[in-house]
Amino acid sequence: MRLPRPSWGWASLPALVLLWSLIATRFPSYILPQPWEVAVEGWRWLGDGKLWPHLGTSLLEELGGFFAAIVAAVLLGVTAGISPAFRSFLTPLNSLFMAIPPIAWAPLTMIIFGLGYLSIVSVIFIAAVCPMTLAIQDGVQAIRGGEVRAARILGANRMQLLVHVYFPASLPAFTTALRVGFSQAWRALVAAEMIGASQGIGWMVSTGGQIGNASQVLLGIVLIGLIAWLAESLVFRRIERHYQVWRSH
């Protein structure tokens, strides 16, 4: 009986922390603090009760823009995948918007909506909707024509085709779209908060840099990476496992 190969994924984060600690010995703590100093800074923010409002603000902004982008991307991506005419119309617009860095929209959204929730959610939406639309469109286009023709021969109408043919076959592309969209949205959120917010993780990083508090800057960076890693591990991988089980039945 062959034993399963051990996974070394558990060692990557401790290795990163060890490397960080070794590099930090070359610098004074006000430039590059040790991991334990950043942990102490995090504990101080928790003890003061200041950390949760920043985390809550960032997560609410991320979820608002991300879920709005999901709805728009599903409608646009499925329609573009099914309709060549709409796909031809949408392609130049997608190329145009994807060429513009999402953060470039932040000054305009702040002029329109002012500082705060709506302006940052708008930037997140713009960052996520185009790559998600393309991923879903590609997934729908990859569906074999024979499956569609067979369903039509059996009498399936347009709604039944969407539910029983297009939706199951495009699930892998949808999961990819969620991953890509979340990462793009999360990056845009942090960047937008750094230039136009009074609260949030991006604000923590920006303010820490302005006052020369490297521990606060690194605390924000660690939180950014940790939340992205938790989203990947606890959300997207579970979604992928569920659709694999669902498709096998």
Side-chain angles (χ1 to χ4, degrees):
M1 180 178 177
R2 181 179 294 179
L3 295 174
R5 291 182 179 181
S7 172
W8 291 99
W10 61 269
S12 56
L13 290 179
L16 178 62
V17 172
L18 177 61
L19 179 63
W20 170 7
S21 181
L22 291 174
I23 294 173
T25 60
R26 296 286 194 175
F27 298 91
S29 61
Y30 65 87
I31 293 179
L32 182 60
Q34 287 282 349
W36 66 266
E37 293 176 293
V38 176
V40 169
E41 180 76 7
W43 185 256
R44 184 177 68 81
W45 278 69
L46 279 171
D48 293 343
K50 296 189 300 183
L51 184 59
W52 297 117
H54 292 286
L55 285 175
T57 296
S58 292
L59 289 175
L60 284 175
E61 290 166 345
E62 170 75 5
L63 293 176
F66 183 50
F67 281 117
I70 290 174
V71 173
V74 168
L75 293 174
L76 294 171
V78 171
T79 306
I82 295 173
S83 169
F86 185 71
R87 183 163 63 249
S88 177
F89 170 80
L90 191 63
T91 297
L93 297 177
N94 257 333
S95 300
L96 173 67
F97 277 87
M98 288 185 67
I100 302 172
I103 196 59
W105 296 98
L108 180 61
T109 62
M110 290 171 193
I111 291 172
I112 296 172
F113 299 112
L115 297 178
Y117 183 80
L118 285 178
S119 63
I120 294 176
V121 164
S122 300
V123 174
I124 294 168
F125 175 85
I126 293 170
V129 69
C130 290
M132 291 176 71
T133 297
L134 282 178
I136 294 171
Q137 173 188 314
D138 290 343
V140 173
Q141 282 184 267
I143 296 170
R144 290 173 293 183
E147 297 176 355
V148 178
R149 287 193 295 271
R152 283 175 174 161
I153 290 171
L154 292 173
N157 57 33
R158 187 178 294 272
M159 181 57 66
Q160 289 171 327
L161 282 173
L162 286 173
V163 173
H164 298 291
V165 179
Y166 286 107
F167 177 68
S170 62
L171 277 174
F174 181 70
T175 305
T176 300
L178 288 178
R179 281 187 168 130
V180 172
F182 183 86
S183 64
Q184 293 295 323
W186 190 240
R187 291 173 184 174
L189 161 74
V190 173
E193 284 184 340
M194 289 178 72
I195 66 172
S198 58
Q199 201 165 248
I201 301 174
W203 177 89
M204 287 174 58
V205 174
S206 177
T207 305
Q210 292 170 11
I211 64 176
N213 186 342
S215 292
Q216 180 177 320
V217 172
L218 282 169
L219 174 62
I221 291 172
V222 168
L223 289 173
I224 291 165
L226 182 61
I227 291 172
W229 176 73
L230 288 174
E232 171 67 22
S233 301
L234 301 180
V235 179
F236 301 125
R237 288 183 186 173
R238 290 190 177 186
I239 291 174
E240 188 174 32
R241 284 197 296 268
H242 277 298
Y243 86 68
Q244 287 174 345
V245 171
W246 181 74
R247 290 192 73 191
S248 66
H249 286 79

